[in-house]
Amino acid sequence: MAQRKSLNVNGKAVQISIDDPEMPLLYVLRDNLGLRGPRFGCGLAQCGACTVHVDGQAVRSCSKPLSELAAQQKIVTLEGLGTPQKPHPLQRAFIEEQAVQCGYCINGMIMESAAFLTTNKKPTEAQVKEALANNLCRCGTHARIVKAIMRAAQA
Ligand code: FES
Ligand code: FES
């Protein structure tokens, strides 16, 4: 039987109807709320394409069941990080460095590094690489991605 679930997404309280409380957060974000920033990659918490923030922490939404989320927890997606008029420094830096090929991994790269930069505001390049070691990019855009993150950190 369908149940109501309350979430806080990008600063707004939302209510959704779900059949399965174990459904991954990613499906709700994309299918119920139309947020296409987070991507489905592996579905196994291994690639990072689906990363969002939950209370400021980077979380792999493909593997986060709704049952583990409470209404007051703050979920932020790429769409909530900045706007086209006022992009987040990382979003601006990725554009300035043209740090994208196919773009599939970029949601995860930005969301993971945004959470990382709140814990380390002036990282070294080695620390950035370590922070993103588990975010996969099949296009090999890593060098530009790291450059973009360093640019955002220095902004
Ligand atoms: S789709 Fe979630 S980590 Fe790959
Ligand atoms: S830019 Fe294509 S997967 Fe990273």
Side-chain angles (χ1 to χ4, degrees), residues 32-150:
N32 296 60
L33 302 179
L35 296 166
R36 301 294 158 82
R39 303 282 169 84
F40 185 98
C42 63
L44 297 167
Q46 291 178 358
C47 73
C50 64
T51 303
V52 300
H53 294 173
V54 177
D55 292 335
Q57 305 282 320
V59 166
R60 301 204 162 181
S61 64
C62 70
S63 303
K64 186 73 175 172
L66 291 174
S67 62
E68 290 181 12
L69 290 161
Q72 69 276 14
Q73 286 184 286
K74 293 188 183 353
I75 299 164
V76 175
T77 70
L78 187 66
E79 291 87 346
L81 207 59
T83 63
Q85 296 71 30
K86 198 165 181 261
H88 184 280
L90 277 163
Q91 292 170 320
R92 192 176 310 120
F94 270 67
I95 294 167
E96 285 165 353
E97 292 293 342
Q98 291 289 286
V100 175
Q101 286 193 53
C102 80
Y104 211 85
C105 69
I106 299 302
N107 168 73
M109 297 295 183
I110 291 178
M111 297 307 285
E112 189 76 41
S113 51
F116 168 66
L117 288 180
T118 63
T119 65
N120 186 344
K121 294 193 188 316
K122 293 288 170 209
T124 62
E125 202 173 296
Q127 288 169 328
V128 168
K129 287 179 183 170
E130 194 187 333
L132 291 179
N134 293 321
N135 284 70
L136 307 184
C137 173
R138 64 190 172 186
C139 299
T141 317
H142 305 83
R144 286 188 183 206
I145 289 170
V146 171
K147 228 171 140 193
I149 297 165
M150 293 304 287

Side-chain angles (χ1 to χ4, degrees), residues 17-48:
S17 175
I18 51 166
D19 291 321
D20 180 1
E22 296 312 304
M23 184 163 75
L25 171 62
L26 177 62
Y27 298 1
V28 171
L29 295 174
R30 289 185 60 88
D31 300 340
N32 296 60
L33 302 179
L35 296 166
R36 301 294 158 82
R39 303 282 169 84
F40 185 98
C42 63
L44 297 167
Q46 291 178 358
C47 73

